[in-house]
Amino acid sequence: MEFAESLRLSWRAIRSHKLRSILTTLGVVIGVAAVITFVTLGTSLRADVLGQVGADRTPNVYVWASPAGQEGGGPGAGAQPVFTASDVDAIRNLSGVESVVARGVVPTAAVSAGGQTVAQRQVIATSPSYFDSGGFAEGRAFREGSREVVLNEQAAGLFSPSVEVGDNVTLRLATGNSVEAEVVGLLNGSSGGGAFEGLGQSQPLVFVPTDPFYRTTLEVPGSGESQRVYPTLTVVAEDFAAVPETKASVQAYLENESDAAKLVPGNYEFSAETDQDLVDQIKELLNTLTNFVTGIAVISLVVGSIGIANIMLVSVTERTKEIGIMKAVGAQNRDVLQLFLLEAAMLGLFGSVLGTPVGVLGAYAAAQYIGLSLVLPYEWFAIAVAVGILVGILAGLYPAWNAAKTDPIDALRYE
Amino acid sequence: MAASDSDAESDVETGQGDAKGDHEGAAVSLRDVRKTYYLGEPVHALDGVDVTIPRGSYTAVMGPSGSGKSTLLNLIGCLDTPTEGEVWVNEREVSAISQRERTKVRGQEVGFVFQTFNLMPKLTAAENVALPLVFQGIDKSERIDRANELLEDVGLADRGDHRPNELSGGQRQRVAIARALSASPAIILADEPTGNLDQETGKQIMGLFQRLHDEGNTILMVTHERPIAEHAQRVIHVLDGTIERVEEIESPRRVETDLP
């Protein structure tokens, strides 16, 4: 039996039960739409997040010590101040290393400017090279050893009028002392604070030079000398190609020769992560999330396919007589199987073809709502249509098989 | 177990001048056919039947219900297989061939006409007539030509686009007859073809069968109405799964009608 003729006969069978076919198709439409919505949202979310993280990719290796086996939490989570000034110098001299930026936090109570006081838990103590990548809206980086601060625009905006370059601010330290400093630079609000400050651009950040502000010191074992110790380091490699090697040599140094190895608590381990590692982690996290939600959506697709199977079973029973007639006039089992399979496949196809735009529409609405720019996963549209047909065929297999092996004598007697 | 040629002498003489048990030249020939159903205990629907239907003959089968008429029809129509014996359709033994092959023979060599017409409700008259050709893989244009030709032949040239529910009972049966003819089968099997029709319409259908027979078609018709059976050249009386007797009709009834 020619394919075109089967197609025509199946199409006619579908059309002869319009409402039933529409309702059956609707089940698949909803299933496919749900999957497409979540896949599209996942793709868009990933593109959005990776766009933020990956846009200003740097050849950086982020180093910190954290409890062994700790998963997630981002770079710097659980970091203990263990990297001494000598460690910083030693790492700077490793091959492939361009520079090392130490970073610590100075606990504070508040920041005051122009008579206003704003609570601020901590300020970040680092070296001027922290700002090498630029991002200044105004002013410059602070100088080491001077009482200067750099604020990002969010921090400056906490005051009204906003703090400007040249203003004086007072840092109320957690120890109870107050320190005056001059604002020398404002960081662009859209430039992130770096990997250790977390993703996103929202929080107010205040940066100060380690000298004179950072006072966390420890005695280096075996030397009797006290040095500043930092919880986190950013090692900048000479270029992207040197990143993996730098990461390895930094890790080797830390584990074997560093002061940090002696200072670190027993169950802690060193973490060294590159931008790429971070991006990969985020990717993985987002993939897991997308897969999870898509998995839930797939359930509705399964329900839709059960709908097809159900209606095909009814259809086969209803048309028992027709099957008998077809067989009496020479239809092979194969012909009957083909007819019913095609019918089910067409229901699945229509469902997926209609469901895809509905899903995109759903994703568009959701993206609008959460302020995401939509990225369309085109390959998924093709997959959806293929899955729709497949779902139809799978659902139609048993009913069509039933139809094919109907005994013509019984079928002709059927009323 | 298939009966061999040596069983030929046990044949009941049912043919009309044909050689004993000879399937050569016959449209259909049954040799010592038995059909047993096992419903707890064996039930013999057919218990040793020998029949030869010569080409171009017009035969009626009569018998009470449960006598084995339907089983006989199903066996000849390749819808069923005998428990024992041989069934020859157009010089081909069909009792032992594969289901696929049997379906093929059914489509090409047998044309069914049913009491309840059994047309496909969603297909037009022309599509119904062309349906057997669809399953034989005949070209679409050829199918359409053949269907129109046959519809014209049965007097429904202007009804090709109508669905069965838009046709009268007589018209439906004529569509069904056109369908039975579409593959130019060796035999037309009619199962109570006038059973659902009023007398006048039934007469028209009998007139159509008469014409088809005059044109050389082989017809086997099951009926329980004596006047209908008398249109045939001979009547096979079936009782309890065996052929009770074969009656030759001296002068078969003729329908005087101008209608096709």
Side-chain angles (χ1 to χ4, degrees):
Chain A
M1 179 179 194
E2 2 172 331
F3 189 72
E5 194 60 28
S6 315
L7 214 60
R8 230 165 53 83
L9 288 176
S10 301
W11 172 235
R12 200 169 297 188
I14 288 173
R15 261 196 0 200
S16 66
H17 295 289
K18 281 203 190 69
L19 181 64
R20 195 161 85 183
S21 301
I22 288 169
L23 289 177
T24 310
T25 306
L26 199 61
V28 181
V29 167
I30 291 171
V32 169
V35 171
I36 286 290
T37 297
F38 289 120
V39 167
T40 305
L41 275 181
T43 310
S44 304
L45 189 67
R46 200 166 61 185
D48 188 66
V49 172
L50 294 186
Q52 278 179 27
V53 178
D56 39 23
R57 192 86 55 86
T58 55
N60 290 356
V61 181
Y62 305 101
V63 181
W64 74 99
S66 61
Q70 171 177 296
E71 286 283 336
Q80 294 293 346
V82 291
F83 305 108
T84 64
S86 326
D87 282 340
V88 172
D89 289 337
I91 291 173
R92 191 171 289 135
N93 291 329
L94 292 174
S95 76
V97 175
E98 169 82 27
S99 63
V100 179
V101 181
R103 174 192 165 283
V105 293
V106 179
T108 54
V111 178
S112 308
Q116 297 171 52
T117 300
V118 174
Q120 177 79 3
R121 182 168 60 93
Q122 61 180 33
V123 299
I124 296 151
T126 184
S127 54
S129 51
Y130 187 93
F131 306 105
D132 280 355
S133 52
F136 279 100
E138 207 182 327
R140 56 170 173 82
F142 48 65
R143 279 188 297 259
E144 196 74 53
S146 54
R147 291 179 179 269
E148 296 176 340
V149 297
V150 169
L151 274 63
N152 69 355
E153 283 182 332
Q154 284 88 340
L158 294 176
F159 302 94
S160 64
S162 284
V163 170
E164 282 174 26
V165 172
D167 288 355
N168 272 335
V169 294
T170 307
L171 305 179
R172 296 193 195 284
L173 302 179
T175 54
N177 301 336
S178 290
V179 187
E180 285 267 318
E182 185 194 350
V183 177
V184 293
L186 288 179
L187 278 180
N188 206 322
S190 63
S191 69
F196 290 124
E197 262 57 69
L199 300 165
Q201 321 144 342
S202 50
Q203 50 178 335
L205 296 171
V206 177
F207 301 92
V208 297
T210 47
D211 180 32
F213 290 93
Y214 192 62
R215 301 282 168 94
T216 308
T217 57
L218 271 178
E219 187 177 307
V220 181
S223 73
E225 180 196 354
S226 270
Q227 287 189 354
R228 285 196 172 88
V229 283
Y230 304 97
T232 58
L233 300 180
T234 303
V235 179
V236 183
E238 280 166 353
D239 50 44
F240 283 100
V243 168
E245 188 205 337
T246 306
K247 177 179 164 182
S249 60
V250 166
Q251 211 143 22
Y253 166 78
L254 287 174
E255 269 153 30
N256 302 323
E257 304 166 43
S258 66
D259 297 335
K262 297 166 195 157
L263 293 170
V264 80
N267 60 340
Y268 272 51
E269 63 183 8
F270 296 110
S271 300
E273 286 194 352
T274 62
D275 272 358
Q276 189 56 50
D277 292 336
L278 292 177
V279 169
D280 288 348
Q281 277 177 15
I282 293 167
K283 236 186 218 167
E284 202 185 302
L285 183 76
L286 291 175
N287 275 346
T288 310
L289 194 76
T290 307
N291 289 347
F292 175 70
V293 179
T294 306
I296 294 174
V298 165
I299 294 174
S300 57
L301 191 58
V302 170
V303 174
S305 73
I306 292 172
I308 292 186
N310 196 13
I311 220 64
M312 289 307 297
L313 278 174
V314 172
S315 188
V316 167
T317 310
E318 247 180 23
R319 281 190 277 159
T320 300
K321 185 121 191 182
E322 288 180 42
I323 295 165
I325 297 168
M326 288 196 289
K327 287 196 155 186
V329 301
Q332 296 285 356
N333 288 359
R334 205 184 43 191
D335 296 326
V336 177
L337 188 82
Q338 184 179 324
L339 272 177
F340 282 92
L341 266 189
L342 255 177
E343 193 177 326
M346 275 161 97
L347 289 174
L349 173 70
F350 297 148
S352 58
V353 164
L354 292 174
T356 302
V358 172
V360 170
L361 222 63
Y364 175 77
Q368 286 288 310
Y369 181 68
I370 56 179
L372 207 61
S373 59
L374 208 61
V375 177
L376 296 179
Y378 291 103
E379 73 275 11
W380 270 90
F381 299 165
I383 292 173
V385 171
V387 165
I389 296 173
L390 192 74
V391 156
I393 289 176
L394 284 179
L397 215 50
Y398 175 70
W401 176 249
N402 258 353
K405 66 178 174 53
T406 303
D407 178 27
I409 299 172
D410 293 339
L412 284 170
R413 218 179 281 146
Y414 187 88
E415 290 300 334
Chain B
M1 199 178 77
S4 66
D5 280 7
S6 62
D7 291 337
E9 61 241 55
S10 68
D11 280 4
V12 178
E13 173 64 58
T14 54
Q16 200 183 36
D18 55 320
K20 245 186 162 190
D22 193 2
H23 52 78
E24 277 173 37
V28 168
S29 155
L30 272 65
R31 295 224 215 148
D32 195 26
V33 165
R34 286 160 210 280
K35 181 73 186 177
T36 310
Y37 295 104
Y38 294 93
L39 307 161
E41 56 189 75
V43 176
H44 303 288
L46 286 181
D47 202 3
V49 169
D50 292 86
V51 179
T52 299
I53 312 287
R55 284 188 207 284
S57 65
Y58 191 171
T59 311
V61 177
M62 288 191 75
S65 54
S67 59
K69 299 190 304 276
S70 298
T71 306
L72 190 67
L73 212 63
N74 290 340
L75 287 175
I76 296 172
C78 298
L79 286 168
D80 209 348
T81 50
T83 315
E84 262 180 64
E86 292 176 16
V87 178
W88 295 76
V89 176
N90 201 17
E91 301 180 19
R92 180 149 187 214
E93 217 283 309
V94 296
S95 63
I97 58 177
S98 72
Q99 192 191 341
R100 236 183 110 70
E101 283 297 307
R102 208 161 45 242
T103 304
K104 213 159 139 188
V105 172
R106 188 194 308 149
Q108 289 170 353
E109 308 291 0
V110 181
F112 283 101
V113 177
F114 302 94
Q115 179 177 359
T116 53
F117 323 131
N118 282 349
L119 298 175
M120 299 284 279
K122 281 165 238 154
L123 302 185
T124 64
E127 285 168 334
N128 264 294
V129 174
L131 191 63
L133 306 178
V134 168
F135 299 118
Q136 286 178 43
I138 307 281
D139 227 43
K140 187 166 185 175
S141 58
E142 204 177 318
R143 291 202 304 258
I144 293 172
D145 289 349
R146 179 82 176 136
N148 288 334
E149 184 188 311
L150 285 164
L151 281 175
E152 195 182 337
D153 199 34
V154 299
L156 292 174
D158 55 341
R159 291 285 187 273
D161 295 336
H162 291 244
R163 300 269 175 101
N165 59 6
E166 298 161 351
L167 300 173
S168 71
Q171 287 172 329
R172 285 185 215 185
Q173 195 59 302
R174 278 188 275 163
V175 171
I177 292 170
R179 179 179 65 186
L181 291 167
S182 67
S184 309
I187 187 165
I188 294 167
L189 298 179
D191 188 1
E192 309 266 11
T194 59
N196 271 26
L197 301 172
D198 62 60
Q199 207 169 8
E200 185 51 36
T201 318
K203 215 169 109 185
Q204 288 172 18
I205 294 300
M206 291 320 291
L208 181 53
F209 276 119
Q210 174 182 302
R211 207 190 77 207
L212 294 176
H213 173 232
D214 291 347
E215 287 166 5
N217 289 291
T218 313
I219 300 167
L220 181 71
M221 179 172 62
V222 169
T223 181
H224 58 248
E225 289 177 69
R226 178 78 202 174
I228 295 292
E230 280 172 0
H231 286 85
Q233 294 168 309
R234 54 180 190 149
V235 181
I236 299 174
H237 293 269
V238 183
L239 188 67
D240 292 338
T242 55
I243 292 177
E244 187 193 25
R245 66 193 169 95
V246 176
E247 174 189 1
E248 303 292 333
I249 306 292
E250 292 301 324
S251 53
R253 275 174 191 255
R254 299 288 294 180
V255 178
E256 301 308 329
T257 172
D258 304 331
L259 286 162

